[in-house]
Amino acid sequence: NAGVTQTPKFRVLKTGQSMTLLCAQDMNHEYMYWYRQDPGMGLRLIHYSVGEGTTAKGEVPDGYNVSRLKKQNFLLGLESAAPSQTSVYFCASSYNRNQPQHFGDGTRLSIL
Amino acid sequence: KNQVEQSPQSLIILEGKNCTLQCNYTVSPFSNLRWYKQDTGRGPVSLTIMTFSENTKSNGRYTATLDADTKQSSLHITASQLSDSASYICVVTSGGYNKLIFGAGTRLAVHP
């Protein structure tokens, strides 16, 4: 089992460019999440999904969109990248809300 | 305001020694408390999950305690190893699945 796989691992963008981060899980989990991790701060939830075809906003959703067209995939989109979105992005999945979340190894994104 | 505070921010210990990391929270309503280990450049990995009724839980050399009255938790590491060098993150879950409040973590370095 690969667990949770994130692509790409690194990316540098210019302000105003758009991109999509891909998260794939092979554990048949219903719940999937996107977080960002900034220095000196705890992880913050951007968006989450409780099943195929559903998405919901987390704590810091502005500037991001998500889609969950297939149960195993959760996509995070940046419509018009801004320097404030420079961060490490983590995807996670869980069987249900009471089970531990399994995290990918992150995407390091720099916006110039 | 829901908050999770961890101390110390960083800690250096010698291999073979024990250490204790602290987590204080002001989260309501409380659902469960989790400890994660995050190696440099990797995603967090779950160590323990404790509900309101549990006051201690072990995972190998890691033992977590929870005092729901004082809203404090600790993570005790016994006979530390070089591989224990990582950040340890305390997470408190409140109510629904989108209410995970992450601490900023304690960075532990184990030296030979």
Side-chain angles (χ1 to χ4, degrees):
Chain A
N1 281 348
V4 177
T5 303
Q6 294 184 232
T7 54
K9 297 188 186 306
F10 304 93
R11 186 72 184 269
V12 178
L13 290 178
K14 295 182 179 179
T15 297
Q17 288 185 316
S18 63
M19 78 162 294
T20 299
L21 309 184
L22 173 62
C23 176
Q25 53 96 2
D26 61 3
M27 296 171 283
N28 201 35
H29 286 168
E30 291 291 339
Y31 291 63
M32 296 189 74
Y33 316 80
W34 275 108
Y35 293 93
R36 60 178 290 172
Q37 186 175 41
D38 299 298
M41 301 178 67
L43 277 80
R44 292 181 292 169
L45 182 66
I46 304 171
H47 287 280
Y48 64 97
S49 168
V50 300
E52 180 179 318
T54 73
T55 63
K57 294 180 180 180
E59 180 185 357
V60 288
D62 293 342
Y64 306 95
N65 58 72
V66 288
S67 64
R68 183 105 181 264
L69 298 180
K70 293 182 178 181
K71 185 177 183 178
Q72 64 267 34
N73 295 336
F74 196 28
L75 279 64
L76 177 71
L78 281 72
E79 299 161 341
S80 178
S84 61
Q85 293 177 306
T86 293
S87 188
V88 182
Y89 291 86
F90 286 98
C91 176
S93 70
S94 64
Y95 182 70
N96 59 40
R97 69 181 194 184
N98 294 319
Q99 294 300 310
Q101 295 181 357
H102 297 258
F103 285 82
D105 283 336
T107 293
R108 284 145 187 83
L109 183 61
S110 293
I111 316 287
L112 305 179
Chain B
K1 181 181 177 181
N2 288 331
Q3 283 187 319
V4 175
E5 296 184 349
Q6 295 186 241
S7 62
Q9 276 190 321
S10 61
L11 180 64
I12 300 173
I13 62 173
L14 293 177
E15 186 178 12
K17 299 296 185 182
N18 304 335
C19 69
T20 300
L21 313 181
Q22 299 291 341
C23 174
N24 296 337
Y25 62 92
T26 55
V27 176
S28 181
F30 175 89
S31 181
N32 59 60
L33 186 145
R34 313 173 184 205
W35 283 94
Y36 283 85
K37 178 187 179 188
Q38 184 176 20
D39 292 317
T40 300
R42 305 296 299 273
V45 174
S46 178
L47 293 176
T48 64
I49 296 179
M50 288 184 293
T51 60
F52 185 88
S53 60
E54 298 174 298
N55 56 22
T56 187
K57 183 166 280 190
S58 292
N59 179 356
R61 293 180 297 101
Y62 301 101
T63 300
T65 65
L66 173 63
D67 186 334
D69 291 332
T70 61
K71 299 188 176 182
Q72 295 180 326
S73 176
S74 65
L75 180 69
H76 186 75
I77 304 174
T78 303
S80 61
Q81 300 176 357
L82 298 179
S83 59
D84 292 331
S85 295
S87 288
Y88 292 85
I89 302 172
C90 176
V91 186
V92 179
T93 304
S94 174
Y97 39 75
N98 59 323
K99 297 289 187 184
L100 272 71
I101 299 99
F102 286 75
T106 291
R107 179 169 291 277
L108 174 66
V110 181
H111 289 181

